[in-house]
């Protein structure tokens, strides 16, 4: 076992969460409460999932319902991180555009069977990756458009379409959302040993098989994230996803 779940585990976990929130508060990062709430939510949600996962993996309808729940939560989280107005639901498009084709391809080729024990972790990793880059790309694009509004207007004055003028300003900042995934892939095995690799090793798989699965996950994740960033950038450029004027 990697960890022993006992009283000591709970105490150390609580101390780490308090340290994280306290450091954020002392440094005036403005996220202390969010850190504390996120930690408590994670504990409650993982406890609930751990209890429910046994039923979910035995039934295809329950499996599909669980996947839809994962997607819905990701959309809500990403949308509200990007904007506070009614356009938040557009965040569902880049997440779906990235994840659905990849998951469909994995199922159709038989690389991942339609079984909860295999599909839930793979889909979870891909949805989580799409969520992260959608938030980062959306926020960076909208921040840059607000900061460089004059450049957008100048481009339009020179004859560029609204979409093209916004793309010129927002494309590079939005693409920075891909950097964490790229760095993770570049340094895998040298700096980090990701969860899929470690999990398979602990489950008794050979190092070669664990490495192959981790490589597969990383490459699939890059494909998902590239699509998600491209779609959210297009939504911002077309004015579908925006923020209300301050």
């Amino acid at each position: 076992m990697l960890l022993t779940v006992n009283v000591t585990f709970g105490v150390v976990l609580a101390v780490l969460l308090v340290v994280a929130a306290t450091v954020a508060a002392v440094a005036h990062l403005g996220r202390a409460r969010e850190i504390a709430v996120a930690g408590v939510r994670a504990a409650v949600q993982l406890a609930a999932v751990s209890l429910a996962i046994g039923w979910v993996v035995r039934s295809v309808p329950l499996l599909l319902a669980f996947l839809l729940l994962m997607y819905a939560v990701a959309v809500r989280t990403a949308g509200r991180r990007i904007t506070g107005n009614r356009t938040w639901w557009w965040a569902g498009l880049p997440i779906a555009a990235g994840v659905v084709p990849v998951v469909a391809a994995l199922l159709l080729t038989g690389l991942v069977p339609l079984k909860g024990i295999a599909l839930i972790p793979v889909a979870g990793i891909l949805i989580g990756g799409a969520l992260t880059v959608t938030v980062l790309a959306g926020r960076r694009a909208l921040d840059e458009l607000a900061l460089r509004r004059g450049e957008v207007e100048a481009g339009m004055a020179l004859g560029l379409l609204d979409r093209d003028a916004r793309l010129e300003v927002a494309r590079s900042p939005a693409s920075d959302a891909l950097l964490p995934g790229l760095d993770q892939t570049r340094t895998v095995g040298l700096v980090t040993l990701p969860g899929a690799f470690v999990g398979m090793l602990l489950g008794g798989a050979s190092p070669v098989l664990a490495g192959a699965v981790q490589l597969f996950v990383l490459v699939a994740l890059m494909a998902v994230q590239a699509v998600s960033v491209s779609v959210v950038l297009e939504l911002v450029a077309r004015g579908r996803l925006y923020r209300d004027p301050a």
Side-chain angles (χ1 to χ4, degrees):
M1 290 180 62
L2 183 62
L3 289 172
T4 301
V5 181
N6 53 23
V7 174
T8 302
F9 170 83
V11 171
V12 172
L13 203 60
V15 169
L16 290 174
L17 183 58
V18 170
V19 168
T22 301
V23 170
V26 171
H28 302 290
L29 301 180
R31 304 289 183 183
R33 183 177 181 278
E34 289 186 48
I35 290 173
V37 171
V40 173
R41 280 189 58 174
V44 173
Q45 289 164 190
L46 285 172
V49 169
S50 299
L51 294 173
I53 200 75
W55 293 295
V56 171
V57 297
R58 298 193 198 103
S59 169
V60 172
L62 286 177
L63 168 60
L64 297 178
F66 188 75
L67 293 176
L68 284 175
L69 176 62
M70 293 169 65
Y71 170 72
V73 173
V75 172
R76 179 70 176 179
T77 302
R80 287 307 187 187
R81 281 290 184 191
I82 297 171
T83 181
N85 61 34
R86 66 184 185 280
T87 65
W88 66 266
W89 63 270
W90 278 104
L93 186 56
I95 295 175
V99 173
V100 172
V102 173
V103 172
L106 297 179
L107 292 173
L108 291 173
T109 56
L111 289 175
V112 174
L114 187 59
K115 296 180 180 179
I117 199 66
L119 188 55
I120 287 176
V122 171
I125 291 171
L126 299 181
I127 292 173
L131 160 65
T132 299
V133 297
T134 296
V135 170
L136 292 177
R139 287 175 64 92
R140 288 288 287 116
L142 290 174
D143 287 347
E144 203 70 9
L145 288 175
L147 184 65
R148 298 166 60 185
R149 183 177 177 182
E151 293 180 40
V152 175
E153 293 177 349
M156 292 166 60
L158 292 173
L160 290 177
L161 298 175
D162 292 5
R163 168 188 174 274
D164 296 334
R166 293 191 186 102
L167 279 176
E168 286 298 317
V169 170
R171 181 182 285 113
S172 180
S175 68
D176 286 348
L178 296 172
L179 292 178
L182 289 172
D183 289 342
Q184 182 186 27
T185 304
R186 285 174 179 154
T187 61
V188 66
L190 298 176
V191 177
T192 61
L193 293 177
F197 181 82
V198 175
M200 291 197 66
L201 286 180
L202 292 175
S206 69
V208 173
L209 179 58
V213 170
Q214 185 61 68
L215 176 62
F216 168 79
V217 168
L218 289 173
V219 173
L221 194 54
M222 283 197 298
V224 167
Q225 292 182 332
V227 172
S228 295
V229 170
S230 299
V231 173
V232 76
L233 177 60
E234 189 68 29
L235 290 172
V236 170
R238 291 179 180 272
R240 298 291 188 270
L241 190 59
Y242 62 85
R243 290 179 186 149
D244 294 326

